[in-house]
Amino acid sequence: MLLSCQGVDKRKPFTSVSVTDVYEDSVSIRAIELMGESLAFAGSNGIFGSMDLNTHKVRTNIQKYDSITPEFRAVGHTSTDFFMLSVATPALLYKTGDQGRMELVYKEEGEHVFYDSLKFFNDSDGIAVGDSFEGCLSILTTDDGGNNWSKLTCDELPKALEGEGAFAASNTNVEIQADKVWIATTGGRLYHSTNKGRTWTIQDTPIEGSEPTQGIYSLDFYNEEIGVAIGGDYTQPDGKKGNKAITLDGGHTWNLIADGLEPGYKSCIQFVPKSEGKEIVALGFTGISYSSDQGKTWSALSQEPFYTLRFVNDSVAYAAGKNRISRLVFK
């Protein structure tokens, strides 16, 4: 009886975060992925690698294509393979190959080619997203574990807004829950599919996207119903109007949160694990912000600049940015 009346201890909101650099080099890193006991990453100057989460030992390599040194801003993985995708032309998509070398599995050339993000549903199905071309977003899909990729035609996709694309800011403008996928765009819209990208609809949000540097930079879903999106304008990072929103019904309706209040521009947003969709961390080159009430109110925990973030558990995360990867401990 006494035990049944005690209830469960509630989580206490974070009030601070400690930042410890665990990797430093001359590389801009906007894409990281947790793979078991490792953190995989790829960035500028063709640099890619992995870090052991227990020892923080880092192994790196440089990927070149002929005389080109690609810049990678998107990575993904299955249970067996690591993938990385370069921006600009030629778009180069690599997967783990034989004897530890990366194997080129997709290449695309063209003046308007620019890919932004990459993610897998499972060990077979994956998706990659790029800016619009000839009236629709560039979307690649695979159903054989990433060995072969095909590009959807504009007949299979909603019509893009003029100049609509996506931001290659943190590899978090694509979010997957089960067979559902959401893609955030510069126009403040979401492309949504319930069947792994075979058919698509548009979900509108109130996030401002009228200027080329505005739109949704990042989104995350805690489950199939609760999602959050953030953006702004990186050229005017103090702007706080129309830059963050939440959905409680799978993206069918979105409402602005903390409108006109902090935080301003951020490049990455993530729910805190095991927080029932209440706790959120957002970061960018403007620092790290935190909410414990689904984004209604926020506190600035650190001015440390980063591009992207992934949680290992409900209090430890890894963040990457200019010239570094860091371990973050929230308390």
Side-chain angles (χ1 to χ4, degrees):
M1 288 291 293
L2 288 173
L3 287 173
S4 65
C5 292
Q6 287 177 350
V8 179
D9 289 339
K10 291 185 176 180
R11 285 177 54 88
K12 294 181 179 179
F14 296 142
T15 57
S16 65
V17 60
S18 64
V19 177
T20 304
D21 292 341
V22 291
Y23 169 67
E24 296 179 86
D25 201 353
S26 299
V27 55
S28 175
I29 302 172
R30 295 179 179 269
I32 57 177
E33 279 288 310
L34 294 168
M35 295 181 63
E37 294 297 311
S38 297
L39 180 77
F41 63 92
S44 61
N45 306 321
I47 295 175
F48 68 99
S50 64
M51 180 179 66
D52 186 298
L53 295 180
N54 297 307
T55 64
H56 291 159
K57 182 178 180 180
V58 177
R59 300 177 64 182
T60 64
N61 209 331
I62 296 177
Q63 183 67 53
K64 291 191 175 184
Y65 178 80
D66 292 336
S67 60
I68 299 171
T69 303
E71 177 179 357
F72 298 103
R73 295 196 191 180
V75 299
H77 72 94
T78 62
S79 62
T80 57
D81 290 307
F82 171 66
F83 296 78
M84 57 189 189
L85 174 61
S86 68
V87 296
T89 185
L92 304 168
L93 176 51
Y94 290 90
K95 73 177 287 288
T96 308
D98 295 333
Q99 299 176 340
R101 296 180 180 179
M102 299 300 287
E103 173 189 356
L104 183 66
V105 291
Y106 182 83
K107 175 186 173 184
E108 185 178 341
E109 295 181 285
E111 180 183 355
H112 301 287
V113 171
F114 197 101
Y115 280 89
D116 308 283
S117 52
L118 171 67
K119 199 154 191 176
F120 276 82
F121 295 87
N122 49 46
D123 278 353
S124 299
D125 303 289
I127 188 168
V129 179
D131 292 351
S132 60
F133 177 62
E134 296 183 343
C136 66
L137 282 187
S138 297
I139 297 181
L140 308 176
T141 60
T142 180
D143 61 6
D144 64 359
N147 292 307
N148 296 280
W149 295 77
S150 58
K151 188 173 183 177
L152 300 184
T153 67
C154 287
D155 292 339
E156 302 172 277
L157 290 165
K159 182 176 176 59
L161 300 173
E162 182 68 28
E164 187 174 30
F167 290 111
S170 61
N171 200 42
T172 55
N173 59 24
V174 174
E175 176 59 10
I176 286 172
Q177 290 285 334
D179 291 348
K180 298 179 180 179
V181 56
W182 294 262
I183 299 170
T185 78
T186 59
R189 308 195 302 170
L190 295 172
Y191 286 57
H192 179 51
S193 173
T194 60
N195 50 21
K196 300 178 184 175
R198 286 188 287 274
T199 59
W200 295 87
T201 57
I202 292 293
Q203 294 180 341
D204 291 311
T205 83
I207 290 181
E208 182 62 41
S210 58
E211 298 296 327
T213 49
Q214 292 177 327
I216 303 173
Y217 280 74
S218 176
L219 78 157
D220 190 30
F221 273 75
Y222 187 78
N223 52 36
E224 292 187 30
E225 301 298 320
I226 303 172
V228 66
I230 198 163
D233 187 337
Y234 78 91
T235 67
Q236 301 180 49
D238 293 333
K240 307 172 187 68
K241 292 286 290 183
N243 77 312
K244 41 198 176 292
I246 196 163
T247 181
L248 303 177
D249 60 7
H252 296 291
T253 58
W254 290 81
N255 294 296
L256 291 174
I257 48 178
D259 196 30
L261 304 175
E262 294 288 351
Y265 165 79
K266 299 294 181 185
S267 58
C268 183
I269 194 163
Q270 297 283 282
F271 282 104
V272 178
K274 300 180 181 179
S275 68
E276 299 181 347
K278 305 290 186 183
E279 298 177 56
I280 309 167
V281 171
L283 55 69
F285 65 78
T286 54
I288 305 169
S289 294
Y290 165 75
S291 174
S292 61
D293 55 10
Q294 285 194 330
K296 297 182 181 69
T297 61
W298 295 78
S299 58
L301 297 185
S302 172
Q303 297 301 310
E304 293 276 1
F306 292 102
Y307 298 140
T308 193
L309 166 88
R310 296 294 184 280
F311 275 95
V312 177
N313 54 43
D314 58 4
S315 61
V316 176
Y318 285 84
K322 185 177 181 180
N323 302 333
R324 64 172 175 164
I325 297 174
S326 302
R327 184 175 187 262
L328 277 51
V329 179
F330 294 87
K331 299 177 181 178

